[in-house]
Amino acid sequence: MFKERLLTPGPTTIPMEVLQAMNVPMLHHRSDVFKRELRRACEGMRWLLGWDSAPIFLACSGTGALEAAIINTCRPTDTIISVNGGAFGARWGKIAQRLGVSVHEIQVEWGSAVTTDQVREALATHPNARAFCIQHSETSTTVLHPVEEALRLVKGICPLMLTIVDGISSCATTPMPGDSSILDIYVAGSQKALMLPPGLSVMALSGYAWELVEKTPKRSLYFDLALERRALVGGETSWTPATTLIVGLNAAVEIFRREGLDATYARHKLLSKMTIAGLHALGCTVMAPQAPCPSVTGFFAPEGIEADALRAQIRSSFGIRLAGGQGPFKGKVVRVGHMGYVDPFDVIAAISAIGSTLKRQGQRVDPGAAVVAALNEVEG
Ligand SMILES: *Cc1c(COP(=O)(O)O)cnc(C)c1O
C-alpha cells in the first residue's frame, strides 16, 4: 500500500477538513443557507486577495475565467499585448484569436522571465492596445514573472491599458502582484493552491475594469460579468454555481486564516528552496534557476534518463505522482508541484523518491545527501 501523494501543479491534494466540509447534503443555490456560504466566500477571497471589491465566482476551470476576462473587455477591433513564455502564456493568443481580437505577443524563451525592456518595447509599438496580459507563475516553465514591475510600467506609460493577470497557479503561494491601482483583472482557480477540486474560478476586478466591462458590447451570456455582478448584489450568481466548491472554499480559507498569509507565502518559498537544494544535490539541472516560482519546481532528466519513464517508476515504486513537461519540454522534464496542502516532508518524500529512482537507474547520486541538502533549508 502507498499513500497516494499528488505532487502535481494542479490538481492538488485536498485537506481532510475541506473534504469533510464538502461532504454534506446538497444545498440549493437559491437558499438562504447557500447565500450565506457565498457571502462568506466573497469575504474570504477579499481577505485572501487583499481586494477592495467583491470577487466574481464562475463555475469553470481557470481557462474559462481567462476567456471571460478578454471577452468582457475587448472588442474585435482591439489588440492585446500578451506575454508568451510557456504553455499558459500562449493561451492568451489562442483565446484572443477565437474572439477576433488581435494579439501582439512578447515572446519569452521557455524557462526565462519577461524583462522590463521587453515590456517597454511592446508598449512603444502598441501603445493603444486594450489590455496587457501575463501569468504570475508560468506553470509550464516554473517561472515567476516580475509582474508587479511590469504592471507599474504599463500603468506608468499607458494608463488606459487594462492589466490582466493569470494568478491561477500563484494565488495563495506568493503575495499579490499589486492592488487595484495597477492590477485590473486577477484570475484564480480552485484546483491549485486553493486546495479544492477543479471547477471553480475566482475573478477580482478593479473599478476601471468594471467600467470597461459595462461599456463593452456583450458577446457571451454565460460569461457576462456585468450580470454576475448584479446577481451578487442579491447574494446569488446568474447561473447555477459550483455550490459544493464554494462551501469547500470557505473551509480552505479558514486553514489559510489559521496559518496566516505571510506564513503561507513563507512556506511556499521554503518548499521551493528545499526542492531546488535537493535537486541540485542530485546533480539535476533546475528549469528556471533565475526566477523560480514558489508553486512548482522542475528539472531536466539527466543524460540517458527518460523523464516520463522516471516519473512512471517513481509513481509505481513510491506512489508519488509528479508532472511531466509541456510543449518543447515534453518528455524532457519532471515537475514537482508544491502548492497548497504541501509541507516540508512531502518535499522530502519527493526528493528521496527522485534520488533513489535515479540511483536505481544507474546514476551516481546520493539520495541521503540530497535529503540533507533539502532539510538544511529548514531553519530552527
Ligand atoms: C492550471 C493553470 C491554468 C488553468 O488551466 P485549467 O485547465 O483551465 O484549470 C491557467 N494558467 C495557469 C498558469 C495554470 O497553472
Side-chain angles (χ1 to χ4, degrees):
M1 183 207 85
F2 288 117
K3 267 190 185 175
E4 290 286 333
R5 287 176 207 260
L6 193 54
L7 294 177
T8 51
T12 62
T13 302
I14 302 173
M16 191 54 77
E17 199 174 323
V18 174
L19 288 172
Q20 283 175 340
M22 294 189 297
N23 189 18
V24 288
M26 198 66 232
L27 293 179
H28 192 275
H29 59 292
R30 306 295 181 206
S31 68
D32 288 342
V33 179
F34 179 71
K35 285 183 186 178
R36 264 201 301 280
E37 292 288 340
L38 185 61
R39 213 166 299 130
R40 226 181 117 201
C42 280
E43 281 162 24
M45 282 312 293
R46 274 181 61 184
W47 168 77
L48 190 78
L49 304 177
W51 207 253
D52 33 29
S53 59
I56 295 296
F57 295 98
L58 298 176
C60 59
S61 84
T63 306
L66 298 180
E67 184 158 333
I70 306 279
I71 204 167
N72 276 275
T73 56
C74 300
R75 303 166 194 236
T77 48
D78 287 332
T79 298
I80 62 164
I81 297 172
S82 66
V83 174
N84 180 355
F88 295 102
R91 205 159 285 183
W92 301 113
K94 293 179 182 177
I95 292 169
Q97 190 196 21
R98 281 163 179 74
L99 298 172
V101 171
S102 304
V103 189
H104 173 73
E105 287 191 330
I106 301 176
Q107 297 289 344
V108 178
E109 199 189 336
W110 279 56
S112 297
V114 72
T115 65
T116 43
D117 282 348
Q118 285 176 300
V119 174
R120 203 172 275 125
E121 198 182 303
L123 295 173
T125 54
H126 294 83
N128 297 318
R130 170 63 62 206
F132 172 84
C133 308
I134 189 169
Q135 270 60 43
H136 196 184
S137 306
E138 170 51 72
T139 321
S140 64
T141 63
T142 74
V143 161
L144 189 73
H145 285 303
V147 174
E148 184 157 358
E149 244 179 303
L151 300 189
R152 281 194 197 290
L153 202 57
V154 172
K155 290 295 182 180
I157 297 173
C158 306
L160 294 183
M161 201 179 289
L162 196 76
T163 55
I164 305 179
V165 175
D166 169 352
I168 295 168
S169 66
S170 60
C171 182
T173 74
T174 195
M176 290 286 285
D179 59 19
S180 58
S181 66
I182 54 168
L183 171 51
D184 292 310
I185 304 186
Y186 182 79
V187 175
S190 54
Q191 83 276 24
K192 308 280 169 107
L194 291 179
M195 313 186 290
L196 293 165
L200 175 69
S201 295
V202 188
M203 297 180 78
L205 284 81
S206 69
Y208 178 56
W210 279 119
E211 265 176 52
L212 277 184
V213 168
E214 296 291 348
K215 270 198 331 219
T216 307
K218 300 291 169 274
R219 291 203 277 159
S220 171
L221 176 67
Y222 189 73
F223 287 139
D224 184 339
L225 294 179
L227 277 186
E228 287 302 333
R229 184 160 71 150
R230 282 192 267 289
L232 203 55
V233 173
E236 298 187 6
T237 54
S238 302
W239 325 116
T240 311
T243 46
T244 308
L245 301 192
I246 300 248
V247 170
L249 176 64
N250 288 331
V253 168
E254 272 315 302
I255 296 176
F256 289 124
R257 282 192 202 271
R258 261 200 326 262
E259 182 175 33
L261 267 188
D262 288 343
T264 303
Y265 298 148
R267 172 168 54 86
H268 283 90
K269 193 161 203 170
L270 170 66
L271 298 176
S272 157
K273 283 163 76 176
M274 288 179 72
T275 312
I276 291 172
L279 289 171
H280 279 162
L282 290 172
C284 294
T285 305
V286 171
M287 281 169 75
Q290 280 93 27
C293 76
S295 47
V296 52
T297 302
F299 64 97
F300 291 91
E303 272 294 305
I305 300 276
E306 272 275 333
D308 291 340
L310 177 66
R311 284 195 303 127
Q313 178 96 57
I314 290 170
R315 197 164 60 240
S316 62
S317 306
F318 297 98
I320 298 178
R321 185 178 287 271
L322 303 174
Q326 292 166 276
F329 287 163
K330 204 169 171 55
K332 300 202 173 114
V333 302
V334 175
R335 289 175 302 149
V336 184
H338 39 72
M339 61 178 93
Y341 192 55
V342 179
D343 75 3
F345 274 102
D346 291 319
V347 167
I348 292 300
I351 292 297
S352 339
I354 293 165
S356 88
T357 307
L358 284 174
K359 189 171 179 182
R360 236 187 292 165
Q361 296 192 355
Q363 298 287 306
R364 294 192 17 204
V365 295
D366 181 349
V371 166
V372 170
L375 279 173
N376 280 343
E377 296 294 328
V378 185
E379 284 168 31

